[in-house]
Amino acid sequence: MARIIDEGKIQRIRESTIEFVVQNGYGGASISSIATRAGVAEGYLYRFYRSKHELVTKLLYSKIARIIEKLEDLLKTRSTIKEVVNELIGEFFIMAEESPEKIKFIHVLMHDYNFQVSDDQRQQIQDLCKQVVQMGVANGEIGSHITLEEAYGMVVIYPLEFINLRMKGFFGIGTWTSEDQLRVSEFSINALK
Amino acid sequence: MARIIDEGKIQRIRESTIEFVVQNGYGGASISSIATRAGVAEGYLYRFYRSKHELVTKLLYSKIARIIEKLEDLLKTRSTIKEVVNELIGEFFIMAEESPEKIKFIHVLMHDYNFQVSDDQRQQIQDLCKQVVQMGVANGEIGSHITLEEAYGMVVIYPLEFINLRMKGFFGIGTWTSEDQLRVSEFSINALK
Amino acid sequence: MARIIDEGKIQRIRESTIEFVVQNGYGGASISSIATRAGVAEGYLYRFYRSKHELVTKLLYSKIARIIEKLEDLLKTRSTIKEVVNELIGEFFIMAEESPEKIKFIHVLMHDYNFQVSDDQRQQIQDLCKQVVQMGVANGEIGSHITLEEAYGMVVIYPLEFINLRMKGFFGIGTWTSEDQLRVSEFSINALK
Amino acid sequence: MARIIDEGKIQRIRESTIEFVVQNGYGGASISSIATRAGVAEGYLYRFYRSKHELVTKLLYSKIARIIEKLEDLLKTRSTIKEVVNELIGEFFIMAEESPEKIKFIHVLMHDYNFQVSDDQRQQIQDLCKQVVQMGVANGEIGSHITLEEAYGMVVIYPLEFINLRMKGFFGIGTWTSEDQLRVSEFSINALK
DNA sequence: AATGAATGAGTATTCATTCAT
DNA sequence: GATGAATGAATACTCATTCAT
C-alpha cells in the first residue's frame, strides 16, 4: 500500500535530481532544490541514499546499466555489428530526443571528477567491446587489428560527443535529423574498417 | 621601493590550481587549498584574478590557445593533413607526457558545467577545422563530404579521449608508446577518408 | 513530525541583533557574534532572513512602524496636538526606559549610510506631520506658517536627540525624570507656536 | 622643500577620505580607494595616522574644531545671540553649499558607533552652550530657564538635521534658499524664548 | 622617504546532513 | 514512517595593516 506512494516519491527524487544535475552541475544540485521539486522532505531521501553522492552515483550507474543492457541485448539478437552499432547509436539518439537530460547527465558525470564508472561496469563495457570487435572481425565488417579502445571510441564516445556538441550548438547547429543519426552510424562503422 | 612582484608565486598559483582542479574538479579546488599548496596567502591571488572562476577560466583559455596556435602554425607550414594531424596529435602526446595535468585540466573543464570555450575560441576552432577539411579535400586525402564535426571529432576529441582513457587506465593500460601515437594518427586520418 | 519552529530562537536573534548594532554599529554586528549571543547556529537566521541587511532592515522597519502606528492612533483619538505630542514623546520615553537599545537602534540606523527609511514609511511620516500641523493650526495651538519639516524636527527629531544625548551622558546627565519628559513636550509644542 | 609635496599629499588624503566616507560610509571607505584617489601609496598614510580609525577620527575632530572656533569667535565679537545663532547657522549653510561632503561627514560620524566626540571637545561645546545661554538671558533674548541641552538642540542639532533632511530630500525638497536659512535661525531663536 | 607586494584574520553566506518530533 | 528545524563546517572573497625594498 504505502509502497506505491513511496515508489512515486523515489521516482520523483530521481527525476528531479537528474534535472538539477544537468541544469546546474553536481554542485548546483542542492538537496533542498531536489527535494522541493520532488515534493518530499529534505530528510526523506536519506532513508534510501546515504548521501547526495550516493544518490547521484546510483543514478549514473543505472543509466549506464541501461546502455550496457541494450548493447548486451543487441549482441545476442543481431548478427552484424552494422546492425548492433546502428541500433545502439539509435538508442542514444532516442534518449537524446526523449529525455535530453539523461544523455547530458551521463555526459556530464562521465567527466566529473567526483564520479567514476564502477569497476564492475568498466569490466562489462570492456567485455562488450571485445564481443563487438569479435563479431565485426568474424563477419569481415571491420579490420582484424581494431582494438577495444578504437571500438569503444567510435561506438560509444564518438556518438555521445557528437550529440553533446549538437546540444551545445558548438558548430552553430542545435538539432539533428535521422540522416544525422545514419551518418554518425556509418561514420562510426567506417572508421573501424 | 616596494618589493617586485614574485612571478614564481603566480606561477605556483597556476600550477597548484591546475593540480587541484584535475584532482578534485572545479568545486573541489578551494582557494584555501590552492593558496596553501602554492605557499601564498589566500588573498594574494585576488591581486591577479578577480575571482576563482576567472583564475580557472584564464588558465583554460591559455591552454586551449596553445593548441589553437599549434594547429594554426601547422596549417601554415605543412602541406598535407597527414602531417598536420600527425603533428597535432604528437603535440597532445607530448603535453600528456610532459605535464599530464594540463591535458587532464583541459579535458575536465571542457565538460564542466561551469565553463564554456569562449565564443572567440570556438570560432577559431571552427575556422581551423574548415581549413583542415579544405586541405584534406584539396589533396584528395579525405572524402569531399567530410563535415567540420567529423574532422573535429577525429582530430581533436578522439585523440584527447584516447589519452584520457589511457591515463585513467580504463582498459587496463596506463601508458603509451610512440606506436600508440602513430596508430591514433592513422586511425584518425583513416576515419576521414 | 519535525520540530516546530522555536519562536524563542527568532526572538533571541532579534534581540541580539539590536544589541550588537547598538553597541558596534551595523558593520560591527557580525552574524557570528549575533548567532553566538542568541545561542543559535550561524546558518539558522538565514531561514528567516535572506541576508544580514534584510534582518536589520526588517527590524528597523518594525520599530519605525510602531511609532507610526502610535502617532496614527493618537491623531484619531486625541483632539489637541498638545495631547498628541505629549503622548508621543511619552511613548519615546517609555521605549527608552523599557528597552533603551530599541531607541538607540532607531537612532543609529536612521543615520547609517546603509539604511534608509522606506519610501512607504517616509510617505506615511509626511502625511502624519501634515495632520499634526493641520490639527494644531485648526485648534490655534501652533502658528499657521509652521512647515512639515519644523513639525517633524520638533515632534520627532528633537525628542529622539534629547533622549540620545541623555543616554550618552553628553551633558553629564545620564538619566531623566517625568519632569524632563514634560519639559521636552512643552518645549516642543512651544517651538511650534 | 619636500615638506610642500608632503602637505599636498596629506591634504589629498584628507579630501579623498571625506569623499569616500560620505559616499560609502566608514566601512565603505577603503584605504586602497582613499590612497588611489589621493594619488599616494597605500602604506603612505600610515606614516601620519596609526590606523584608518585614527585618520577619520582626526578629520572629524578638525571639522568639529572649526565649528567650535567659529562659535567661540562669534561669542567674543557679537553681543546678541540673535547675531551669534544667525551667523553660526549661516556658517553651516555655507559649509553645506561649498562642500556638502563636510557637513555630511560630520553628520554621519556624529551618529556612527565607532566615533565619539572627544571629552575635550564635549567640554568645550558645553562651555560654549553655557555662554550662549548666559548671553541670551543677559540680553533678555531667551527665557531664563533655558537649559544647555535645549540651546544645543536648537542651535546645533536642529540646523544640522534640517540641512541633512534637505540633502536627503526627505520631504521632497533637495535645495534651500537664503530664506530657508533665515527661517531656521528665527525658528531656532524663537524656540528658546 | 615612499612604495605597493604580501599577508591572513575576518566577513556573509550556503548546504549536506542529523535527529527531535 | 516522514518531516523539516537546526546545525556548523566550509566557501569565496575583502581589506587594514606590515615591511622588504
Side-chain angles (χ1 to χ4, degrees), chain A residues 18-19 21-23 59-60 62-64 66-67 87-112 155-168 176, chain B residues 111:
Chain A
I18 291 177
E19 195 180 327
V21 168
V22 163
Q23 274 170 32
L59 269 170
L60 176 61
S62 79
K63 296 301 166 214
I64 292 177
R66 222 190 284 181
I67 294 172
E87 291 201 38
L88 183 68
I89 290 175
E91 180 75 8
F92 291 155
F93 275 88
I94 288 169
M95 279 176 76
E97 197 82 51
E98 284 177 357
S99 42
E101 328 83 38
K102 283 185 192 160
I103 279 282
K104 282 187 190 168
F105 183 74
I106 294 172
H107 197 258
V108 164
L109 294 181
M110 268 176 70
H111 296 93
D112 188 304
V155 173
V156 178
I157 301 291
Y158 177 79
L160 287 180
E161 293 284 343
F162 177 89
I163 290 172
N164 196 59
L165 241 40
R166 280 285 169 105
M167 279 175 163
K168 277 189 183 166
W176 54 83
Chain B
H111 296 92

Side-chain angles (χ1 to χ4, degrees), chain C residues 1-3 5-6 9 41 43-44 47:
Chain C
M1 331 229 180
R3 283 158 281 182
I5 284 190
D6 186 340
K9 289 189 178 179
Y44 185 60
R47 291 180 54 77

Side-chain angles (χ1 to χ4, degrees), chain C residues 39-54:
Chain C
V40 302
E42 283 192 39
Y44 185 60
L45 54 85
Y46 288 91
R47 291 180 54 77
F48 308 98
Y49 303 98
R50 261 176 313 216
S51 67
K52 177 182 160 186
H53 193 271
E54 185 182 294

Side-chain angles (χ1 to χ4, degrees), chain B residues 26-40:
Chain B
Y26 177 72
S30 74
I31 292 293
S32 157
S33 62
I34 289 171
T36 303
R37 175 72 51 96
V40 302

Side-chain angles (χ1 to χ4, degrees), chain A residues 6 9 41-44 47:
Chain A
D6 287 355
K9 285 187 178 179
E42 287 185 45
Y44 183 68
R47 299 189 55 76

Side-chain angles (χ1 to χ4, degrees), chain C residues 22 26 47 55 106 130 167 179 188 193:
Chain C
V22 163
Y26 177 72
R47 291 180 54 77
L55 160 62
I106 293 172
K130 219 171 272 178
M167 279 175 163
E179 275 174 53
S188 183
K193 279 194 177 136

